[in-house]
């Protein structure tokens, strides 16, 4: 069937609108990060920087602070960047490891209440985060885990574990059980089969679960705002602090936002094919 010209125009218009809607804010952030502070108040607005500067990045990276007369924020930014990386990576590793064991148990092992327990765990996805903040905060205080890497990582794990478990369960169900049965006939134990046969075959699913967990943890704001006020403060909490009562530092906000975009963008760009294949791994049995 031949497509008409109007149909092609409609499709390309839809694609253009989608790209502008998705990439427009990212472009505006990057363009603003290389725009001098004085140009932010000019009218009319310019979609392309009229003057180019790297002073905002210099302030963030602690380069020539005296020359540009800025306040040094390098130590705060460096600490926040490290905190974001540590908590996101730790939560990702823990979440994928726990969900892999759990999904394999729900898929291959038979025990009382298996289906009911899985449904209860996955159903926690429907619980809004703000509904459990107060009891969770009380628990963290009693365990002395507020403003610690361990505490924040455990909260992220509890938030993203149900989704990761659900994804990996569908992946394990799609794997051929004949390979495991053959290994058992050869005398292989359950752990040997899990680590040497199941996990290599489930690689795309594990990667997809890791990507989703990492991106979710990296973009968290409410949880670290409450549970990481100082020592473990991430970028998502530090960047809004550049907005003060009497002044908004658009340069620092856009420059730090541009840097904060780089890591998740690299993850999506280079691991996108693993994400797609992992999400589709359990679609066909």
């Amino acid at each position: 069937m031949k497509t008409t010209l109007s149909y092609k125009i409609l499709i390309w218009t839809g694609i253009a609108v989608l790209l502008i809607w998705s990439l427009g804010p990212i472009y505006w952030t990057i363009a603003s990060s290389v725009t001098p502070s004085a140009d932010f108040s000019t009218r009319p607005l310019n979609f392309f920087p009229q003057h180019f500067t790297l002073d905002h990045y210099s302030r963030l990276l602690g380069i020539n602070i005296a020359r540009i007369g800025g306040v040094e924020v390098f130590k705060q930014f460096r600490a926040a960047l490290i905190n974001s990386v540590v908590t996101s990576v730790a939560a990702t590793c823990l979440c994928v490891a726990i969900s892999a064991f759990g999904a394999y148990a729900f898929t291959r092992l038979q025990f009382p209440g298996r289906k009911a327990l899985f449904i209860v765990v996955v159903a926690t996805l429907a619980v809004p985060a703000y509904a459990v903040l107060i009891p969770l905060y009380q628990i963290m205080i009693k365990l002395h885990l507020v403003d610690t890497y361990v505490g924040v990582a455990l909260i992220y794990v509890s938030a993203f574990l149900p989704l990761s478990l659900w994804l990996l369960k569908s992946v394990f169900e799609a794997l051929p059980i004949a390979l495991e049965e053959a290994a058992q006939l050869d005398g292989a134990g359950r752990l040997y089969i899990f680590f040497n046969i199941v996990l290599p075959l489930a690689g795309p699913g594990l990667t997809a679960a890791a990507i989703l967990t990492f991106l979710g943890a990296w973009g968290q704001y409410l949880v670290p705002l409450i549970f990481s006020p100082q020592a473990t403060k991430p970028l998502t909490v530090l960047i809004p602090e550049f907005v003060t009562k009497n002044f908004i530092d658009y340069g620092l906000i856009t420059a730090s936002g541009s840097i904060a975009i780089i890591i998740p963008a690299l993850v999506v760009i280079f691991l996108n094919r693993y994400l797609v294949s992992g999400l589709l791994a359990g679609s066909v049995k």
Side-chain angles (χ1 to χ4, degrees):
M1 183 178 66
K2 295 183 179 180
T3 57
T4 62
L5 178 61
S6 59
Y7 179 78
K8 292 181 179 180
I9 294 176
L10 180 62
I11 293 297
W12 283 108
T13 301
I15 294 175
V17 171
L18 182 61
L19 289 176
I20 294 174
W21 180 267
S22 303
L23 302 180
I26 298 177
Y27 164 76
W28 192 260
T29 298
I30 297 175
S32 299
S33 68
V34 294
T35 300
S37 299
D39 290 357
F40 288 129
S41 58
T42 59
R43 294 294 184 273
L45 294 175
N46 296 303
F47 291 97
F48 301 96
Q50 300 301 301
H51 305 90
F52 183 85
T53 182
L54 293 176
D55 286 349
H56 307 310
Y57 291 98
S58 298
R59 294 169 62 190
L60 282 179
L61 302 178
I63 303 173
N64 282 336
I65 297 298
R67 180 184 65 81
I68 62 179
V71 179
E72 184 175 357
V73 295
F74 170 63
K75 293 181 180 179
Q76 302 176 39
F77 180 78
R78 179 183 59 185
L81 179 60
I82 293 175
N83 292 338
S84 293
V85 173
V86 170
T87 53
S88 299
V89 171
T92 300
C93 294
L94 283 174
C95 187
V96 173
I98 296 173
S99 59
F101 280 105
Y104 184 75
F106 282 120
T107 305
R108 295 290 189 259
L109 303 182
Q110 299 294 330
F111 53 88
R114 178 169 62 101
K115 293 183 179 180
L117 181 59
F118 177 76
I119 293 174
V120 170
V121 173
V122 175
T124 58
L125 287 171
V127 179
Y130 55 80
V132 297
L133 282 179
I134 294 178
L136 187 58
Y137 189 76
Q138 292 177 337
I139 293 174
M140 288 295 166
I141 289 179
K142 292 180 180 179
L143 296 177
H144 303 287
L145 292 178
V146 175
D147 210 10
T148 63
Y149 289 133
V150 175
V152 177
L154 290 178
I155 294 175
Y156 288 163
V157 169
S158 65
F160 300 109
L161 182 61
L163 177 61
S164 182
L165 184 65
W166 184 25
L167 171 63
L168 290 181
K169 184 176 182 294
S170 64
V171 172
F172 289 156
E173 287 177 342
L175 297 180
I177 195 173
L179 295 176
E180 300 175 44
E181 293 174 343
Q184 287 179 337
L185 292 176
D186 291 337
R190 181 72 70 177
L191 289 179
Y192 179 89
I193 294 174
F194 177 73
F195 284 107
N196 294 277
I197 297 178
V198 176
L199 290 186
L201 293 176
L206 295 172
T207 305
I211 294 173
L212 293 176
T213 303
F214 180 84
L215 295 179
W218 184 270
Q220 283 293 309
Y221 174 72
L222 181 60
V223 169
L225 179 66
I226 297 174
F227 296 94
S228 303
Q230 294 297 332
T232 57
K233 180 190 303 180
L235 287 175
T236 51
V237 177
L238 175 67
I239 293 176
E241 293 182 355
F242 295 142
V243 179
T244 62
K245 182 179 180 180
N246 300 314
F247 178 70
I248 301 177
D249 199 326
Y250 293 105
L252 281 183
I253 292 175
T254 54
S256 55
S258 299
I259 296 177
I261 292 173
I262 293 177
I263 294 180
L266 292 176
V267 170
V268 173
I269 291 173
F270 291 103
L271 299 179
N272 178 61
R273 61 189 182 97
Y274 297 105
L275 176 61
V276 175
S277 60
L279 292 176
L280 296 177
S283 60
V284 179
K285 296 185 179 181

